[in-house]
Amino acid sequence: MQTTGWLFDVYPLQDRMVLWFITAAGERLRVEDGFPYRVYLGGEPGRVRSLAREAGRRGWVKRHYPHRGRNLWSGEEIPVVALELASYAHLSRLRGWFGGLKDELAVFNADLDISAYYLYSRRLHPCAWYDLEAREGRLAAITLLEDPFAVEFALPPLTVMTLGLTRDPLIPLGSGNSVAVGWEDRTLELEAPDIPALIGELAHWLRRLDPDLVLSDWGDEGIIPPVWQWSQQHRAPLPLDREPQPVPRQFHGGRTYFSYGRIVYQGPAAPFYGRWHVDRRNSFYYKESGLMGLAQIARIGQMPLQQAARASPGTLITSMQLARATTDGILIPWRKGAPERFKTAAELLIIDKGGLTFMPPIGLFFDVAELDFASMYPTIMTIHNISPETVNCPCCAGDGAGAVVGEGAKSVACDQWPVISVYYQPKTANRKPQTQNPWPSPHITPEANYRLCRRREGLVPRTLRPILKLREDLKARAKEVGPEEGSEYKDRQNALKWMLVTCFGYLGYKNARFGRIEAHEAVTAYGRDKLLTAKEICEDAGFQVLHGLTDCLWIKKEGMTGGELESLCREISRATGVKLALEGVYKWLAFLPSRLDPRRPVATRYFGAFNDGKLKVRGLACRRRDTPPLVRLAQEALLEKMAQASTAQELAAMRPELEDLAESFRLRLREGQVRPQDLLITRVLSQPAADYKVDTATALAARQLERAGIHLQPGEKVRYVHREPKRGPKELRVQAAPFLETLEDYDLELYLELLERAVEEVMMMVLE
DNA sequence: TGCCAGTAAAG
DNA sequence: CTGCCTACTGGCA
């Protein structure tokens, strides 16, 4: 049978892959494809062959044969033996066996996700159209019909069913919570106490609607696990999957991990087989960029959509690097064992120089332009060829570039590095001459003088290049079609942004598959260099540089014009190789002082209004998730009002009105005209409730929940209201959500204080 | 009052 | 897919 189909779902089953397509005619088509998982083994040839034979005798390996693959680090082709697994279940046994051997074995491609490995090997992309031929349910031929990096693509029509809880997700299903099922514009509440009836109803609607997509709130943790467990207990069939064969379904518990310096909790996953289950409360990418964003990253990340929905940006970018490597014939080293040791203080010093900061002057400024480098770090990696294997590569070692490289350079540099935060005094006279040659040679990195490969383009640049291109195209397209139709393109480019940001972060992680500290260091060094170059060009053009932060500059000049700014951007883009764009011109912009030392500015707290009336607010109370909604609303209301003013006079004239606004919020608090939800403070639990040494409100709230039988993992959120403080024991100082029905009072003083700080934060910039 | 545990932001 | 730095608050000795 020949047909055109859109690749919808992919998953492994015993020794083969199952693929679901939505055909052009709207049919849901299931086909199987035999795919042997291949592990590659390198080392002493005789020993490798005998190990392969032994694995065959044990029944784990179906066949083995000599093969050649490329070593990531040297770029050279090396002989290996390919082992084809008899069943996917043998993969962990094989790994366990290899792990126990004492040999100097090089094991490759042993820890890849099976679906992703299949997609890489077959060069298939989910959510794309194919010409395919199937015989007796087996895939016979398949041809990709579109460019996975295309700006335009669409989803076929999907049948959608929604699932949700009727009450707070912390209340378990069956202990006061119920399920809400929705389709088209209808919703139905299914009462939980009568369990067989609930399962029956749910099964009925799944069968009747046969949804392609089940879009849930809290489905992964709150709905599917108990519902599935009940269906097993009561032997009541529940067709979560389209897959006719029995599938393994276990709800492995959630994970807590660190990412970008903060603790994150990822709940357990409950994927379906042959249809999509996306829990929008358990999906970073859905929250960030919706279903089109998910489809976008599944396509280019070559990862089944349900996996992509639950993946972090790091997983996605790693998947793209693995896909690139597989396609290029690069062998992927097996990362066995536990994470490595923590970084030493010296290593931290090396990595964490980070972005350059020019400190802003405190106060209110008018007619300020903001210039931002677009995707600065990923662009640097791409144009300078920075990748783990290109830094001080062996292949260019003899080229006599004349630079100090490698181990030596690292130890020299430490004390010589400049202070990263420069207390910058804006100046218009006595400018330094422009840097002539910002780096000694295009192949030698600034500061540390590492040598970059000039023979091979690195894996990271090869991976990033098409993503950067697509993101630029999507941005341009969004601008072209306007805000209405542009939102879909914006969502998609936003999804890509997170992959790009994380790619840089991953270079600095020892434990990342493609990380290397020197590469990370090289990127930030180029970044500092480029920001400095930009500053100097601005000053040469007569601009005053007020503030700079990693990849942004805030500048001003009397009587500056749009054209002048555009040509300034062009010049800097040309000089640095990274596109610098005008973010906008502010009518007014405020840089805030430190709260601890009011004479000192802080780099990351500022707010202002652009010429078009749009606000940009960073670091203020309303941007923090631990600010109660009432306080956030108050600050936002003040800012919205202020955004209407253009001049110092207009702003000053607004003062009485702003005072009234603030007073109205104070009054609401004093008179108790607030809903408990508006007083909720949300915080992330950094450790198990019992481990807290200090009785912070967070710890008290978490313990209160524990007593009610609700156990939160580190990385999960706690929400609570501060109660009247003088009412006896500590346990009563806060009241945790969801138990707010019984809330009798709140700590008026504390909330007034929080409100006052938020008001003061913005009002201090409005002159009397 | 000072120290330090705990938490969050912008890039 | 696994420990940025800096600013700030508040409990506790």
Side-chain angles (χ1 to χ4, degrees):
Chain A
M1 186 194 62
Q2 199 99 29
T3 186
T4 306
W6 194 75
L7 182 52
F8 176 72
D9 197 18
V10 185
Y11 48 88
L13 208 60
Q14 288 134 34
D15 62 343
R16 66 196 67 175
M17 297 300 301
V18 176
L19 286 78
W20 285 86
F21 290 91
I22 296 177
T23 66
E27 186 199 353
R28 274 57 181 160
L29 178 69
R30 178 189 186 276
V31 292
E32 293 185 355
D33 191 11
F35 167 68
Y37 190 106
R38 288 188 193 88
V39 173
Y40 300 100
L41 216 50
E44 197 276 304
R47 177 66 178 150
V48 168
R49 270 198 304 276
S50 90
L51 285 173
R53 278 195 297 271
E54 175 58 23
R57 272 194 295 278
R58 295 183 183 204
W60 299 337
V61 166
K62 192 164 56 179
R63 66 189 192 113
H64 62 91
Y65 50 88
H67 190 72
R68 298 184 74 79
R70 208 166 279 283
N71 178 302
L72 172 69
W73 301 100
S74 67
E76 282 163 4
E77 239 185 42
I78 56 167
V80 285
V81 169
L83 311 180
E84 288 191 359
L85 266 65
S87 157
Y88 302 137
H90 296 316
L91 185 57
S92 62
R93 291 182 198 116
L94 194 70
R95 279 199 303 241
W97 183 51
F98 286 155
L101 295 175
K102 300 238 173 353
D103 303 64
E104 286 280 316
L105 266 187
V107 184
F108 300 102
N109 295 34
D111 53 356
L112 301 177
D113 176 81
I114 300 162
S115 305
Y117 194 13
Y118 168 76
L119 293 167
Y120 308 157
S121 306
R122 275 282 206 179
R123 304 196 188 184
L124 297 180
H125 298 255
C127 304
W129 286 96
Y130 297 85
D131 261 342
L132 62 126
E133 199 187 327
R135 282 187 220 121
E136 291 160 6
R138 290 282 191 145
L139 189 66
I142 184 160
T143 316
L144 182 61
L145 290 180
E146 52 177 335
D147 172 11
F149 285 88
V151 174
E152 302 297 338
F153 75 82
L155 304 184
L158 298 175
T159 312
V160 183
M161 177 173 134
T162 61
L163 272 185
L165 290 166
T166 54
R167 296 184 61 203
D168 192 288
L170 289 179
I171 301 169
L173 201 58
S175 320
N177 223 334
S178 304
V179 178
V181 177
W183 69 100
E184 287 164 14
D185 47 7
R186 296 211 273 162
T187 50
L188 196 68
E189 274 191 28
L190 309 180
E191 289 296 326
D194 184 3
I195 288 162
L198 180 138
I199 303 295
E201 282 279 289
L202 202 55
H204 167 78
W205 290 111
L206 279 167
R207 236 174 258 126
R208 193 172 139 184
L209 299 166
D210 186 25
D212 299 300
L213 166 63
V214 175
L215 196 55
S216 79
D217 290 301
W218 318 109
D220 274 350
E221 209 167 351
I223 303 172
I224 303 305
V227 154
W228 180 253
Q229 206 193 336
W230 292 335
S231 92
Q232 301 295 96
Q233 277 169 9
H234 295 261
R235 301 190 194 292
L238 184 64
L240 296 179
D241 310 298
R242 278 179 176 147
E243 172 58 45
Q245 291 189 40
V247 292
R249 168 166 277 123
Q250 71 258 21
F251 302 103
H252 48 89
R255 275 180 334 113
T256 296
Y257 61 95
F258 278 95
S259 173
Y260 256 67
R262 71 174 50 174
I263 194 156
V264 186
Y265 174 76
Q266 173 84 43
F272 298 167
Y273 295 80
R275 59 172 125 246
W276 290 344
H277 171 217
V278 174
D279 178 346
R280 43 191 158 190
R281 312 311 271 252
N282 194 26
S283 172
F284 171 84
Y285 271 111
Y286 187 89
K287 276 182 250 175
E288 204 54 47
S289 47
L291 196 59
M292 280 309 279
L294 276 184
Q296 175 69 79
I297 57 163
R299 260 168 91 101
I300 66 169
Q302 291 177 271
M303 190 183 274
L305 183 131
Q306 294 185 82
Q307 255 163 276
R310 293 162 179 90
S312 66
T315 314
L316 252 304
I317 191 70
T318 303
S319 178
M320 287 199 65
Q321 291 172 343
L322 294 171
R324 186 74 261 156
T326 307
T327 308
D328 296 348
I330 290 169
L331 297 164
I332 296 150
W334 175 33
R335 304 184 332 139
K336 63 174 171 182
E340 293 184 35
R341 64 196 165 76
F342 292 150
K343 287 183 191 119
T344 64
E347 281 173 317
L348 281 173
L349 191 71
I350 290 166
I351 321 157
D352 296 330
K353 294 214 307 155
L356 185 63
T357 306
F358 309 124
M359 280 302 200
I362 297 165
L364 194 57
F365 297 84
F366 296 85
D367 305 312
V368 177
E370 180 181 334
L371 313 179
D372 294 0
F373 281 111
S375 306
M376 186 203 237
Y377 286 164
T379 306
I380 286 173
M381 293 184 252
T382 307
I383 63 177
H384 295 292
N385 196 25
I386 303 175
S387 194
E389 79 280 22
T390 58
V391 181
N392 297 336
C393 58
C395 60
C396 302
D399 287 4
V404 184
V405 295
E407 298 301 306
K410 210 159 134 186
S411 53
V412 180
C414 276
D415 322 359
Q416 298 171 5
W417 280 328
V419 189
I420 58 161
S421 287
V422 184
Y423 197 104
Y424 177 66
Q425 294 296 329
K427 54 185 176 190
T428 46
N430 302 327
R431 287 192 308 276
K432 276 185 286 178
Q434 191 188 328
T435 311
Q436 279 309 305
N437 186 0
W439 49 93
S441 135
H443 301 285
I444 301 296
T445 69
E447 298 178 31
N449 293 335
Y450 296 138
R451 181 173 34 72
L452 296 171
C453 188
R454 48 178 93 192
R455 291 200 165 81
R456 298 177 287 154
E457 189 180 29
L459 180 66
V460 166
R462 290 204 306 282
T463 309
L464 290 177
R465 197 180 291 283
I467 311 177
L468 284 168
K469 163 87 165 63
L470 176 56
R471 180 159 186 240
E472 273 310 297
D473 292 349
L474 287 169
K475 274 189 184 171
R477 188 88 184 103
K479 219 181 213 172
E480 207 176 288
V481 299
E484 291 274 307
E485 292 162 60
S487 72
E488 184 186 305
Y489 299 103
K490 277 204 184 119
D491 283 349
R492 284 169 56 202
Q493 74 87 6
N494 194 41
L496 300 183
K497 173 181 122 177
W498 285 107
M499 294 174 65
L500 295 172
V501 166
T502 318
C503 183
F504 158 69
Y506 265 43
L507 273 183
Y509 286 150
K510 246 201 152 60
N511 298 324
R513 218 183 256 274
F514 301 106
R516 186 155 168 210
I517 227 69
E518 292 89 340
H520 183 106
E521 200 187 330
V523 174
T524 56
Y526 273 116
R528 291 187 288 274
D529 193 283
K530 288 175 198 301
L531 191 70
L532 206 56
T533 303
K535 169 181 169 266
E536 283 163 1
I537 294 176
C538 288
E539 286 171 349
D540 284 344
F543 285 87
Q544 181 189 359
V545 176
L546 289 172
H547 184 28
L549 199 58
T550 310
D551 55 2
C552 313
L553 281 174
W554 287 264
I555 61 171
K556 70 171 292 179
K557 181 163 88 171
E558 276 309 308
M560 68 185 180
T561 64
E564 203 177 347
L565 287 168
E566 290 304 326
S567 82
L568 185 69
C569 285
R570 270 199 303 279
E571 191 189 340
I572 295 170
S573 304
R574 201 173 46 238
T576 58
V578 184
K579 188 181 166 196
L580 184 77
L582 177 66
E583 167 87 348
V585 177
Y586 292 91
K587 300 192 283 189
W588 53 265
L589 172 65
F591 295 115
L592 290 169
S594 159
R595 286 180 58 88
L596 295 178
D597 178 0
R599 293 163 305 176
R600 210 160 48 85
V602 284
T604 56
R605 289 166 62 224
Y606 61 87
F607 63 100
F610 289 110
N611 277 335
D612 66 2
K614 273 214 194 80
L615 280 163
K616 181 160 179 175
V617 181
R618 292 295 180 266
L620 301 199
C622 64
R623 297 275 300 184
R624 301 173 62 101
R625 74 169 145 210
D626 61 351
T627 298
L630 183 91
V631 176
R632 173 180 304 117
L633 286 172
Q635 197 178 50
E636 281 171 352
L638 292 174
L639 287 164
E640 282 302 332
K641 185 83 215 143
M642 287 167 74
Q644 295 167 13
S646 297
T647 62
Q649 292 75 16
E650 281 175 31
L651 218 45
M654 225 172 233
R655 201 171 169 98
E657 225 177 317
L658 295 169
E659 296 280 16
D660 285 351
L661 202 51
E663 188 56 29
S664 73
F665 281 94
R666 283 184 207 113
L667 209 62
R668 276 178 64 184
L669 270 176
R670 286 208 191 88
E671 296 187 348
Q673 295 169 357
V674 261
R675 297 176 307 165
Q677 299 96 285
D678 287 332
L679 299 174
L680 276 178
I681 290 172
T682 304
R683 286 203 134 129
V684 172
L685 215 58
S686 63
Q687 50 194 320
D691 292 4
Y692 278 87
K693 290 177 194 154
V694 174
D695 287 330
T696 58
T698 309
L700 293 173
R703 288 194 201 123
Q704 201 173 80
L705 288 172
E706 298 242 296
R707 284 196 296 278
I710 297 168
H711 301 281
L712 295 179
Q713 302 295 319
E716 289 197 274
K717 287 177 198 148
V718 252
R719 292 171 303 144
Y720 54 84
V721 173
H722 283 277
R723 301 192 57 198
E724 181 61 46
K726 288 165 204 83
R727 62 165 41 249
K730 269 184 182 174
E731 290 75 54
L732 293 173
R733 270 193 219 159
V734 299
Q735 184 129 334
F739 308 114
L740 295 173
E741 288 92 351
T742 55
L743 184 72
E744 291 158 20
D745 52 42
Y746 53 86
D747 187 344
L748 178 63
E749 289 305 313
L750 183 141
Y751 283 101
L752 282 174
E753 170 64 21
L754 288 180
L755 176 62
E756 221 39 52
R757 273 188 218 162
V759 168
E760 183 56 19
E761 200 169 37
V762 296
M763 292 289 276
M764 68 188 296
M765 289 297 162
V766 184
L767 302 174
E768 304 269 344

